[in-house]
Amino acid sequence: MTYAADLLYEEVAYLAYHFHWPLDELLDLEHPERLRFVAQIARLNGQ
């Protein structure tokens, strides 16, 4: 099963916006790790 490209772009853009990490570092993250960062940022932002 492949991860939807649109969702991948959304997660990477969200993390890049908040962390300012390079694209290659964000793409190297495993999906569960990337989602954990996304969830933590959302909590910190009150979303």
Side-chain angles (χ1 to χ4, degrees):
M1 181 164 89
T2 61
Y3 195 59
D6 289 343
L7 294 176
L8 176 61
Y9 280 110
E10 186 177 326
E11 288 173 9
V12 168
Y14 189 76
L15 292 174
Y17 177 80
H18 288 281
F19 284 160
H20 309 285
W21 291 353
L23 179 61
D24 57 334
E25 286 186 38
L26 294 169
L27 292 174
D28 283 343
L29 295 172
E30 295 292 328
H31 182 210
E33 187 176 24
R34 201 170 46 248
L35 285 180
R36 189 169 182 176
F37 279 121
V38 167
Q40 183 60 34
I41 292 168
R43 278 193 292 279
L44 291 171
N45 287 328
Q47 297 175 346

